[in-house]
Amino acid sequence: MTPEQLVSCVDFRYITDVVTKDEATEILQQQQSTKLKREKFVCENGYPAYTTSTAWLGYSDETLREKCRKALSEGWTRFKMKIGANLEDDKRRATIMREEIGWQNALMMDCNQRWDVPDAISWMKELAQFKPLWIEEPTSPDDILGHATIAKALNPLGIGVATGEMCQNRVIFKQMLQAGSLQFLQIDSCRVGSVNELIAILLMAKKFDIPVCPHAGGVLLCELVHHISMFDFCCVSATMENRVIEFVEHLRDKFVYPVKMKGTNYLPPKEPGYSSELTAKCIEEYEYPNGKVWAELFQSGKF
């Protein structure tokens, strides 16, 4: 599609104070002459990812070490850990993470909306010694100014704020960008209503020079976002600097078009569409209430 065709897909209502139709067209036109070069690059090399599978809350210290070592053996250099339940536990687990992955690899932290604003600031000041690249969802996802307060306090420590997986439209993202609430913008293809809306968000992120790092820590989310980041690289931001896509490895056997990886990089999908189709076997087994899985749950008395 031409820049003009792409721009015609976007609803600019309510966001023209940040990016206008003419500005969006200019952004896309600027990338046209080098777009094919980037397409070739991403087809050959893929798009960088980070792993969330090594450090879920509830893992024993031994399991944490084992999963870090396995991930390192597979080539991973970017790791995310869940935090927020207990500060001393977080310090112990972060110490283990750094012992295993070293200081040359990136470490991100995610507390899944656990804290009030003052708690987020004080907690992360305690964890700043572990050099996290970002703290993800440090407070209510609806608290735009709260995120801005946290970012202002933590940015001098080298810690960015990452959020957006619960953000449902371009207007809220606009306000977060205007307020300085995030340093890493995490779109979610299931939360935002359409590719059209996602294009609007990518254009605004480009205007503010904020990297887009999609949320993909759930069923089919890896499949639903990797092509969005590749479009951003080829047509909008024209860079992969500070940009990564989340990756989790579970349940890939349930999908008709599971993502393909080259090492720790996402490869572009070759099939048309949104890559979101479940296998017939998966639907048959999990269909409510007659699927095999539900029948077993009913029979066991769990439901």
Side-chain angles (χ1 to χ4, degrees):
M1 298 175 70
T2 66
E4 291 77 14
Q5 288 172 325
L6 283 168
V7 166
S8 72
C9 297
V10 176
D11 184 356
F12 286 90
R13 188 172 38 171
Y14 312 132
I15 64 170
T16 54
D17 51 331
V18 166
V19 63
T20 66
K21 186 174 181 179
D22 288 342
E23 287 174 322
T25 303
E26 183 179 355
I27 288 170
L28 295 170
Q29 286 174 338
Q30 286 174 350
Q31 315 302 0
Q32 282 291 98
S33 63
T34 52
K35 183 176 72 171
L36 291 179
K37 182 179 178 180
R38 287 189 296 279
E39 285 182 8
K40 184 175 185 292
F41 179 88
V42 79
C43 285
E44 292 176 353
N45 300 283
Y47 197 101
Y50 70 87
T51 177
T52 299
S53 299
T54 55
W56 297 99
L57 286 174
Y59 282 168
S60 67
D61 292 356
E62 182 180 356
T63 298
L64 181 59
R65 289 188 185 276
E66 289 174 355
K67 287 188 174 292
C68 285
R69 291 169 186 172
K70 181 176 183 292
L72 285 167
S73 72
E74 295 169 347
W76 291 98
T77 60
R78 304 173 185 88
F79 300 77
K80 189 166 79 177
M81 62 180 295
K82 298 290 185 175
I83 65 168
N86 180 281
L87 180 57
E88 294 308 311
D89 283 349
D90 288 345
K91 288 180 179 179
R92 188 190 73 256
R93 294 170 61 251
T95 298
I96 291 171
M97 289 287 292
R98 280 302 184 193
E99 287 175 354
E100 294 298 335
I101 71 172
W103 294 88
Q104 74 279 12
N105 291 319
L107 177 64
M108 290 83 89
M109 296 179 173
D110 183 359
C111 82
N112 291 105
Q113 312 164 28
R114 280 182 174 266
W115 302 318
D116 280 2
V117 171
D119 297 329
I121 295 169
S122 61
W123 201 294
M124 288 310 300
K125 283 183 176 179
E126 291 287 325
L127 297 180
Q129 60 184 299
F130 300 104
K131 305 293 183 185
L133 176 64
W134 75 51
I135 174 61
E136 186 170 331
E137 287 201 305
T139 191
S140 165
D142 300 323
D143 191 351
I144 295 168
L145 297 183
H147 276 85
T149 299
I150 295 167
K152 185 177 180 180
L154 297 183
N155 287 174
L157 302 176
I159 304 172
V161 169
T163 193
E165 70 180 77
M166 301 293 287
C167 184
Q168 68 273 33
N169 62 61
R170 65 193 185 283
V171 178
I172 303 301
F173 272 118
K174 180 191 78 168
Q175 294 178 12
M176 285 193 155
L177 289 164
Q178 289 173 317
S181 301
L182 47 77
Q183 286 68 56
F184 300 91
L185 190 153
Q186 296 179 306
I187 54 172
D188 184 300
S189 284
C190 289
R191 192 73 59 182
V192 174
S194 67
V195 176
N196 310 60
E197 193 86 347
L198 289 168
I199 295 172
I201 296 163
L202 294 177
L203 289 165
M204 289 190 293
K206 166 67 175 175
K207 187 80 179 290
F208 280 87
D209 195 25
I210 293 292
V212 176
C213 302
H215 170 246
V219 179
L220 272 175
L221 287 180
C222 296
E223 286 69 23
L224 283 164
V225 298
H226 61 317
H227 48 322
I228 302 299
S229 281
M230 293 172 191
F231 168 77
D232 177 52
F233 172 62
C234 291
C235 299
V236 185
S237 69
T239 181
M240 292 182 183
E241 185 178 0
N242 290 326
R243 288 159 172 82
V244 284
I245 309 172
E246 187 171 20
F247 177 79
V248 292
E249 59 188 359
H250 53 275
L251 300 175
R252 291 170 69 187
D253 61 320
K254 310 295 184 188
F255 314 143
V256 176
Y257 307 110
V259 294
K260 295 178 177 65
M261 304 291 287
K262 182 177 183 178
T264 61
N265 288 358
Y266 281 88
L267 288 173
K270 296 299 176 75
E271 302 82 6
Y274 223 160
S275 309
S276 59
E277 186 177 349
L278 296 171
T279 64
K281 182 181 178 183
C282 175
I283 294 171
E284 181 182 348
E285 290 182 348
Y286 287 86
E287 184 182 21
Y288 181 85
N290 299 316
K292 176 184 175 183
V293 172
W294 285 103
E296 291 174 353
L297 289 170
F298 292 137
Q299 194 170 36
S300 67
K302 293 181 179 178
F303 282 90

